Amino acid sequence: MTAKLIKGTEIREEILEEVKAEVEQIKEKHGVVPGLVTILVGENPASMSYVTLKIKTAIRLGFNEIQDSQPEDISEADLLALVDKYNKDDSINGILVQLPLPKHIDDKKVLNAIDPDKDVDGFHPVNVGRLMIGGQEVKFAPCTPAGIQEMIVRSGMETSGAECVVVGRSNIVGKPIANMMLQKGDGANATVTVVHTRTKDLEGHCKRADILIVAAGVPGLVKPEWIKPGACVIDVGVNRVGEKISEKTGKKIAILKGDVDFDEAKEIAGSITPVPGGVGPMTVTMLMVNTLKSLKFKLGLM
Ligand code: GUN
């Protein structure tokens, strides 16, 4: 059997078209568009390329997009003052401070300074709490877990009553997605197990999973024989395992490998995300969804 591929690149396009249509409707009816500011400190090449993608996507959707680049040596106080300026700016619905920040800045302090109602990353403790409570309390789910849930739902997988095993317990992926999958509601209602580096029988837990979400950051950690035949496998791992020359551009590019042995796993799973082109494209997509949501909350449309 060959698994159905759950392609983030295709689901991204579906969602972005939906967002674009809604932005146009809101603009026509209410005369406003979502406003997103991305604050980038320093010149970390990976951060610069992420931010560029966020800006391009926001512009494509008709958002009001501000890129605010700051020097590497900006003081913590000045960065906090900048966040406060955007907290008070009525045209801004979403504030994103690109991580990592330079060592002299306490990233927790900065993230906690963002108005929770503009925290489109979903990293503020208030939004973490709202997510834990679930239901109508939730404003912004963090973007990667939100993308994972969308992929599961749009792939047609039944989540209610499913055994969902999450490999990894990070604050950004493992903990929030486990929490989201166990909530009451559509696309959830799963029985969730979280496994991690201290778990005794990783293999045994994985073998039970109808939905297996792997976010460990260890290339090839999950072996094909650990996958239950027909399971839905979501591989969040994006591990650089080497470099190659791109045939398209002639430039050096990273060779990426997931946390699951894809080539063999796809012969056992019912559906599976590839790496690259799986979960990766969903993070920026859900950032756009959250920014639109923020405007809708403000207008009383949600
Ligand atoms: N750096 C890498 N990924 C992210 C993300 O999702 N949000 C922010 N703010 N910084 C990041």
Side-chain angles (χ1 to χ4, degrees):
M1 185 178 87
T2 298
K4 171 181 160 184
L5 277 190
I6 309 175
K7 292 185 185 167
T9 43
E10 283 178 8
I11 298 174
R12 168 184 62 194
E13 293 308 308
E14 266 175 46
I15 295 175
L16 292 183
E17 283 310 307
E18 291 165 14
V19 171
K20 193 167 175 223
E22 236 185 303
V23 169
E24 281 164 12
Q25 274 177 11
I26 291 175
K27 189 177 176 185
E28 216 172 79
K29 246 190 163 167
H30 300 271
V32 284
V33 296
L36 173 67
V37 59
T38 46
I39 301 174
L40 173 66
V41 178
E43 294 181 353
N44 175 323
S47 292
M48 285 168 79
S49 86
Y50 282 133
V51 165
T52 303
L53 183 62
K54 288 168 189 171
I55 294 165
K56 272 193 188 159
T57 311
I59 291 172
R60 171 182 160 190
L61 301 179
F63 286 17
N64 169 27
E65 157 65 40
I66 297 176
Q67 187 199 351
D68 195 328
S69 294
Q70 294 293 328
E72 179 84 19
D73 62 355
I74 186 175
S75 70
E76 188 179 275
D78 285 351
L79 185 57
L80 289 169
L82 191 66
V83 168
D84 195 46
K85 180 182 98 168
Y86 290 116
N87 280 341
K88 290 178 178 142
D89 183 337
D90 225 27
S91 71
I92 293 298
N93 307 105
I95 301 171
L96 181 133
V97 179
Q98 185 67 27
L99 301 175
L101 288 169
K103 286 205 169 64
H104 67 280
I105 296 175
D106 180 348
D107 53 5
K108 257 196 210 144
K109 237 189 199 172
V110 175
L111 295 180
N112 292 359
I114 296 173
D115 178 348
D117 290 347
K118 295 189 179 188
D119 167 40
V120 284
D121 257 330
F123 292 164
H124 192 288
V126 166
N127 285 316
V128 176
R130 287 169 172 164
L131 192 76
M132 186 81 175
I133 296 167
Q136 292 301 310
E137 288 293 323
V138 180
K139 283 212 152 174
F140 308 115
C143 300
T144 303
I148 292 169
Q149 194 175 32
E150 278 291 337
M151 295 181 101
I152 295 170
V153 170
R154 289 180 189 243
S155 76
M157 179 73 198
E158 177 58 80
T159 58
S160 185
E163 288 285 341
C164 175
V165 174
V166 178
V167 183
R169 52 176 161 177
S170 70
N171 286 329
I172 292 180
V173 184
K175 282 192 228 171
I177 191 62
N179 182 46
M180 289 159 75
M181 295 307 292
L182 65 79
Q183 297 290 351
K184 269 190 186 163
D186 294 341
N189 286 325
T191 301
V192 179
T193 306
V194 182
V195 298
H196 47 78
T197 43
R198 301 295 174 96
T199 297
K200 288 195 179 124
D201 184 13
L202 198 58
E203 177 177 347
H205 287 290
C206 290
K207 279 182 166 166
R208 284 191 296 104
D210 302 310
I211 300 171
L212 182 60
I213 301 169
V214 193
V218 180
L221 172 74
V222 170
K223 309 293 171 235
E225 62 273 19
W226 297 8
I227 293 169
K228 182 173 171 179
C232 171
V233 179
I234 307 288
D235 188 351
V236 191
V238 184
N239 306 292
R240 287 165 191 259
V241 293
E243 282 183 337
K244 63 179 180 185
I245 302 293
S246 162
E247 283 177 18
K248 259 195 211 160
T249 62
K251 285 185 185 165
K252 253 193 211 170
I253 53 167
I255 300 171
L256 301 177
K257 192 171 177 344
D259 290 351
V260 180
D261 265 328
F262 177 80
D263 288 336
E264 290 176 76
K266 78 176 189 319
E267 301 304 323
I268 302 164
S271 55
I272 188 168
T273 58
V275 177
V279 175
M282 296 301 292
T283 304
V284 171
T285 304
M286 299 315 290
L287 177 71
M288 302 301 138
V289 171
N290 277 351
T291 307
L292 171 62
K293 258 184 161 180
S294 178
L295 175 62
K296 285 169 70 180
F297 282 125
K298 192 176 157 205
L299 295 173
L301 302 174
M302 282 190 87

